[in-house]
Amino acid sequence: GQLNPASLEVGVHQIVYHFEPNSGCPFRDTLTVEVESAYQVQAGLDTMACVGAGLLAFNALNGSLPVAWSLASAGPVSVVANSELGIIDVSMLSVGSHAFAVVGGEGSCTTSDTVSVEVISLPEIQLPSIANTCANGPSVDLGAVQPFGGTWSGPAVDGAEGLFHPSLAGAGAHTLQYMYTDPTTGCSNDASLGLEVHAPIQPELDAPTLLCVGAEADIFVVNAAAFDSITWWVESTVLSTSDALNWTPS
């Protein structure tokens, strides 16, 4: 009493049941069976996504019958945000390969297919170590960042040259942004670099108001503690590197 639909062609078929009991009174009944072609569901091509990318929709399905998506590998079941539309939340997946299955059709006429999503890690950015600078200092080269080839942005940043100009930024704390996109995977990452620009410190001198040629004079830097180093010179001749100078004008 079993029927194998695979042995029948698509269409309507009459199945006849005939029974002859010992009493000699035969019984006959007919059952109509319609065999439909199998609904072929297609999950689409394998794809890849960057870790933390957010929502991803599978959209390579054929037909109009209902389908149901599910996770077919290890991971959180809730990664399938919408099982009917085939939407997953990539931010819930770790780096690596993940399989998803789709089942479509009605009744016993269902088929299934699977698709793989490769989750790619973001490029790792190593920012250069840059000391704090002065507002009247030279431009700061940002080219030591790895991987090279991204884009710098922020106050007083020349993105094309990879330079930070303290004189344009002014004194204070500044945050620079570096964005890099891996040309192979298309995954992007960014990082922030904090820089402190110090305002120039003017030395306060304690010196005689009148100096005589040939007479010694003592000159002191009152706010010497504010400086890392002090150098006294006349024209190109260095006279002292301390916070006090004993000088004889000539």
Side-chain angles (χ1 to χ4, degrees), residues 9 108 141 147 150 157 175 201:
E9 296 180 353
S108 61
D141 188 357
V157 168
T175 300
I201 302 175

Side-chain angles (χ1 to χ4, degrees), residues 48-248:
M48 67 179 185
C50 304
V51 65
L55 298 180
L56 173 67
F58 300 120
N59 55 9
L61 296 172
N62 291 333
S64 58
L65 294 179
V67 298
W69 286 89
S70 62
L71 179 65
S73 58
V77 176
S78 57
V79 68
V80 180
N82 190 312
S83 61
E84 295 181 359
L85 299 180
I87 300 176
I88 65 171
D89 188 353
V90 178
S91 65
M92 299 179 65
L93 296 175
S94 59
V95 173
S97 181
H98 304 270
F100 293 86
V102 59
V103 177
E106 291 181 329
S108 61
C109 297
T110 61
T111 58
S112 63
D113 194 13
T114 59
V115 66
S116 176
V117 177
E118 184 75 18
V119 179
I120 308 297
S121 60
L122 303 182
E124 183 178 349
I125 296 176
Q126 297 179 1
L127 296 175
S129 177
I130 298 177
N132 294 330
T133 185
C134 297
N136 60 350
S139 298
V140 178
D141 188 357
L142 304 172
V145 65
Q146 292 295 329
F148 186 74
T151 302
W152 284 97
S153 62
V157 168
D158 185 339
E161 297 293 334
L163 296 175
F164 170 69
H165 303 288
S167 60
L168 298 178
H174 302 280
T175 300
L176 312 184
Q177 289 288 130
Y178 183 73
M179 170 72 73
Y180 177 80
T181 300
D182 190 310
T184 302
T185 65
C187 295
S188 300
N189 200 5
D190 63 87
S192 299
L193 176 66
L195 286 178
E196 183 76 22
V197 177
H198 299 288
I201 302 175
Q202 297 297 327
E204 299 176 13
L205 301 181
D206 181 3
T209 57
L210 179 63
L211 300 178
C212 299
V213 175
E216 290 185 357
D218 291 322
I219 306 175
F220 303 91
V221 179
V222 177
N223 58 341
F227 298 91
D228 293 331
S229 63
I230 297 176
T231 302
W232 302 84
W233 72 91
V234 173
E235 296 181 349
S236 60
T237 302
V238 175
L239 303 178
S240 175
T241 57
S242 68
D243 58 354
L245 172 66
N246 180 265
W247 180 49
T248 304

